[in-house]
């Protein structure tokens, strides 16, 4: 069995976002493997532990620095890493990214594809489902538990929906997007880190993926990104003082009469 | 120039009811349609005809109900096979979804099918000075807002954050067309099967849907103390959230985690109890209309986003607060 795990490098969630000319000034910010992608890698590793003839291939499309995330995934225990990189991939939209990932997946071959449920930078949650569409395979998103029937040909996934969970069955090949709760991602071992350093990261360029810019319409022409702003600053808060009883009475009065939120 | 001025809304339903946030999407579509001089169409899968009137009351001009026994359960595949041909035929200017688990995966899949752009989790849709449509959506879990202008005749695909586009009240005098349509699904193409749907115990609302979220951090000291938050949430008809350390300790389910690697919420009222307020947590809740923070530590960062702060022990104040709310809300029904 071959499992492809799509990963992305993102700005550390602990970072404070600062803007310059309505753009993110991210040069000095620490970058990490997208937290949801860690669940995806971990799930692949767990499958390999019970089904030993499994190969785990990480795939990432992005700048040179994205190799760090591939390296991090290799250190966790993935077998191979493929970096999709070409000057033609600069400024492509998410659909084109999903399309290129699908081209790479077709070249590699796969039984299962894992993605994080979303990247914690653009929060679009688009790549997973879009990739499944381009590959014409079923897709189950926001998965918190995953099991397989004996022959490894049918997956049973539990996923989070608003106010509950849903259990969905699918034949393979299929794509799953991974949510917190699915597993507890392992920390790379020292041995894993050393081994990851020695592994070669393969590069697929536009030629290899059969891609030219003319080929696909881009949403860059229909969605014009005009910039970022910071959320409205909240006004200075008020501290409510007094005995616990007084505080409770006063707060309820404010919320009822001034704020009118209850 | 905007040619088609039709806005199609995919209406989420389940257990033979329309999900409350679907009315928000209809309401948002109505406002945009009025600004553009257009119309609002709603697509429902497998609901009873009598339910459709409420969509008209909230602003739909016409409602299509696709009928097929297979719609007893709705999977991504069935929904996609239903909406894709309709969008191709109607060529609407925009298609609106709710930004739920279903809505997000369906809107993303549709965007790939049609090769058109997607905007997830939109929080505002306005008309600009030249009549262009301006959309804002949070990125980095709300640490920044992305501004996007829609260009061309569409279709543009948008999913709308819950709780943001609530309308004042439905207009029960509104009249619209409701049409039942037998819809054929090529069932040999269906792979996904829903085995089971489990509602969270106690019928509690999801944190993203609730108008009031009462949230606890490590300051709650132990998992048993979350009963104090549940009591308050019950009185306020809200939901209980939690900070990441609480979830990582196994005190609460991850589906309740508020923050950048959890859920992002935008309720009317957010009460943070014993939560210090990490950057990630603040990202997930600071768009709430009104924020209350209760914390022993006056220097806790949570106070920087709070409208009202109480410096004290949440364990002591919560029962009093619940009691006080019970008194005043009990008397007003």
């Amino acid at each position: 069995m071959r499992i492809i795990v799509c990963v992305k490098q993102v700005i550390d969630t602990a970072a404070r976002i600062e803007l310059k000319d309505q753009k993110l000034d991210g040069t000095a910010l620490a970058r990490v493997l997208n937290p949801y992608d860690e669940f995806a890698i971990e799930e692949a590793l767990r499958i390999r532990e019970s089904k030993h003839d499994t190969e785990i291939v990480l795939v990432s499309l992005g700048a040179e620095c994205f190799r760090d995330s591939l390296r991090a995934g290799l250190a966790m225990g993935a077998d191979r890493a493929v970096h999709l990189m070409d000057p033609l991939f600069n400024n492509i939209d998410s659909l084109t990214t999903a399309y290129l990932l699908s081209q790479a997946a077709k070249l590699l071959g796969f039984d299962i594809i894992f993605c994080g449920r979303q990247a914690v930078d653009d929060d679009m949650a688009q790549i997973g489902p879009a990739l499944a569409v381009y590959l014409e395979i079923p897709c189950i998103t926001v998965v918190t538990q995953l099991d397989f029937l004996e022959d490894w040909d049918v997956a049973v996934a539990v996923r989070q929906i608003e106010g509950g969970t849903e259990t969905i069955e699918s034949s393979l090949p299929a794509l799953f997007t991974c949510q917190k709760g699915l597993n507890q991602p392992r920390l790379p071992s020292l041995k894993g880190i050393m081994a990851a350093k020695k592994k070669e990261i393969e590069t697929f360029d536009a030629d290899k993926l059969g891609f030219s810019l003319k080929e696909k319409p881009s949403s860059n022409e229909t969605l014009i990104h005009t910039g970022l702003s910071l959320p409205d600053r909240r006004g200075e808060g008020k501290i409510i003082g007094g005995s616990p009883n007084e505080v409770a009475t006063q707060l309820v009065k404010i919320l009822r009469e001034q704020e009118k939120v209850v | 120039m905007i040619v088609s001025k039709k806005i199609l809304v995919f209406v989420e339903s389940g257990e033979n009811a329309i999900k409350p946030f679907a009315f928000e999407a209809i309401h948002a579509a109505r406002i945009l349609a009025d600004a553009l001089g257009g119309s609002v169409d709603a697509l429902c899968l497998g609901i009873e005809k009598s339910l459709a009137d409420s969509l008209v009351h909230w602003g739909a001009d016409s409602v299509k109900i696709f009928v097929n026994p297979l719609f007893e359960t709705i999977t991504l595949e069935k929904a996609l096979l239903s909406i894709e041909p309709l969008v191709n035929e109607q060529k609407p200017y925009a298609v609106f979804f709710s930004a739920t688990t279903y809505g997000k995966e369906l809107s993303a899949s549709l965007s790939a099918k049609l090769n058109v752009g997607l905007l997830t989790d939109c929080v505002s849709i306005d008309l600009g000075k030249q009549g262009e449509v301006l959309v804002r959506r949070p990125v980095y879990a709300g640490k920044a807002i992305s501004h996007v202008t829609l260009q061309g005749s569409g279709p543009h695909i948008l999913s709308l954050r819950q709780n943001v586009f609530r309308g004042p009240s439905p207009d029960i005098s509104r009249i619209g067309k409701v049409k039942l349509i037998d819809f054929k699904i090529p069932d040999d193409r269906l792979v996904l099967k829903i085995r089971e749907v489990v509602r969270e115990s106690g019928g509690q609302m999801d944190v993203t849907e609730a108008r009031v979220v009462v949230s606890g951090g490590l300051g709650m000291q132990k998992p048993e103390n979350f009963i104090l938050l549940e009591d308050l949430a019950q009185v306020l008809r809200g939901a209980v959230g939690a900070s990441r350390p609480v979830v990582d300790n196994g005190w609460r389910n991850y589906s309740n985690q508020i923050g950048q690697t959890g859920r992002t919420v935008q309720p009317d009222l957010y009460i943070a109890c014993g939560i210090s307020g990490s950057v990630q947590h603040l990202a997930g809740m600071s768009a709430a209309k009104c924020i209350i923070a209760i914390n022993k530590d006056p220097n806790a960062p949570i106070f920087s986003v709070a409208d009202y702060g109480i410096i004290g022990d949440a364990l002591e104040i919560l029962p009093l607060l619940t009691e006080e709310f019970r008194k005043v809300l009990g008397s007003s029904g």
Side-chain angles (χ1 to χ4, degrees), chain A residues 13 36 117 121-124 126 134 141 162 165-167 169 180 222 224 226-227 229 234 238 240 259, chain B residues 102 105 115 120 137 140-141 143 145 147 149 151 193 195-196 198 257 261-262 286 288 307-309:
Chain A
T13 58
Y36 294 112
R117 75 138 155 125
D121 47 11
D122 70 357
D123 291 325
M124 198 70 97
Q126 183 178 22
Y134 292 136
T141 60
E162 281 62 28
T165 60
E166 190 174 63
T167 307
E169 187 186 296
K180 183 171 182 173
T222 57
I224 312 301
T226 52
S229 66
R234 304 189 73 97
K238 280 191 201 118
I240 302 174
E259 301 290 338
Chain B
Y102 279 113
E105 66 181 15
N115 270 317
T120 301
R137 54 179 298 271
Y140 303 99
K143 289 182 198 167
I145 308 290
H147 298 248
T149 305
Q151 191 85 45
K193 286 189 198 78
R195 281 190 170 187
E196 192 184 20
V198 180
Q257 184 187 316
T261 51
S286 55
D307 299 292
Y308 299 97

Side-chain angles (χ1 to χ4, degrees), chain A residues 237 239, chain B residues 275-276 282 293-312:
Chain A
I239 296 292
Chain B
I275 293 176
S276 61
L282 299 184
I294 309 175
N295 203 300
K296 278 191 213 167
D297 175 9
N299 297 317
I302 190 80
F303 287 117
S304 71
V305 298
D307 299 292
Y308 299 97
I310 296 171
I311 297 160

Side-chain angles (χ1 to χ4, degrees), chain B residues 148-301:
Chain B
V148 183
T149 305
L150 306 186
Q151 191 85 45
S153 55
H156 302 288
I157 302 176
L158 278 67
S159 70
L160 276 49
R161 170 165 292 182
Q162 295 103 295
N163 265 345
V164 177
F165 294 94
R166 281 206 310 260
S169 60
D171 172 3
I172 52 166
S173 66
R174 278 197 93 248
I175 296 169
K177 281 183 289 185
V178 178
K179 222 166 150 188
L180 290 171
I181 299 163
D182 278 317
F183 187 77
K184 287 191 182 52
I185 300 178
D187 49 6
D188 57 320
R189 281 168 63 187
L190 300 180
V191 177
L192 299 173
K193 286 189 198 78
I194 296 184
R195 281 190 170 187
E196 192 184 20
V197 177
V198 180
R199 294 277 139 211
E200 240 161 73
S201 58
Q204 269 191 12
M205 229 183 288
D206 191 73
V207 286
T208 59
E209 295 172 25
R211 296 187 183 194
V212 177
V213 176
V214 187
S215 219
L218 287 182
M220 294 302 291
Q221 292 181 16
K222 53 184 177 185
E224 294 77 28
N225 289 336
F226 273 75
I227 186 81
L228 299 175
L229 298 177
E230 278 164 20
D231 287 346
L232 179 56
Q234 199 194 5
V235 172
L236 297 175
R237 296 196 194 108
V240 177
S243 70
R244 176 175 171 169
V246 160
V247 171
D248 286 349
N249 280 358
W251 295 3
R252 301 294 289 183
N253 194 293
Y254 47 79
S255 66
N256 301 316
Q257 184 187 316
I258 311 295
Q260 190 165 10
T261 51
R263 321 284 300 277
T264 303
V265 296
Q266 201 153 343
D268 289 347
L269 176 61
Y270 188 89
I271 307 181
C273 305
I275 293 176
S276 61
S278 66
V279 175
Q280 294 95 328
H281 189 82
L282 299 184
M285 45 64 78
S286 55
K289 256 185 225 153
C290 181
I291 296 171
I292 312 294
I294 309 175
N295 203 300
K296 278 191 213 167
D297 175 9
N299 297 317

Side-chain angles (χ1 to χ4, degrees), chain A residues 5-14 29-42 45 58-61 65-78 81 114-116 118-121 185-188, chain B residues 244 260-261:
Chain A
V5 186
C6 301
V7 299
K8 184 179 188 184
Q9 192 183 54
V10 296
I11 286 165
D12 191 346
T13 58
L29 297 177
R31 284 161 193 271
V32 294
L33 175 61
N34 179 39
Y36 294 112
D37 300 348
E38 290 184 16
F39 301 114
I41 297 171
E42 179 63 34
L45 295 172
L58 306 173
V59 178
S60 189
L61 187 153
C65 62
F66 276 45
R67 293 172 94 85
D68 296 344
S69 291
L70 288 170
R71 206 60 84 186
L74 287 171
M76 282 175 76
F114 285 129
C115 300
Q118 68 191 53
V120 299
D121 47 11
R186 68 196 66 189
L187 291 170
Chain B
R244 176 175 171 169
Q260 190 165 10
T261 51

Side-chain angles (χ1 to χ4, degrees), chain A residues 74-87:
Chain A
L74 287 171
M76 282 175 76
D79 299 295
R80 287 168 65 190
V82 177
H83 189 196
L84 314 188
M85 195 173 65
D86 194 294

Side-chain angles (χ1 to χ4, degrees), chain A residues 88-154:
Chain A
L88 283 181
F89 302 164
N90 292 342
N91 301 319
I92 55 172
D93 69 339
S94 346
L95 281 179
T96 309
T97 302
Y99 170 76
L100 289 166
L101 289 169
S102 77
Q103 292 292 91
K106 283 177 192 163
L107 286 175
L108 292 162
F110 61 90
D111 299 284
I112 295 174
I113 298 184
F114 285 129
C115 300
R117 75 138 155 125
Q118 68 191 53
V120 299
D121 47 11
D122 70 357
D123 291 325
M124 198 70 97
Q126 183 178 22
I127 294 288
L131 175 54
V133 165
Y134 292 136
L135 292 170
E136 298 180 53
I137 58 171
C139 165
I140 303 178
T141 60
V142 203
V143 172
T144 55
Q145 191 190 321
L146 186 61
D147 296 294
F148 295 88
L149 299 193
E150 249 168 54
D151 297 340
W152 292 90
D153 53 357
V154 174

Side-chain angles (χ1 to χ4, degrees), chain B residues 61-90:
Chain B
D61 296 302
S62 81
V63 180
K64 287 189 174 63
I65 304 173
F66 283 4
V67 183
N68 187 310
L70 285 170
F71 288 138
E72 198 181 321
T73 59
I74 295 165
T75 59
L76 170 60
E77 291 170 327
K78 292 180 205 171
L80 190 57
L81 286 168
S82 306
I83 195 167
E84 190 202 349
L86 186 66
V87 174
N88 278 330
E89 178 204 314
Q90 289 198 338

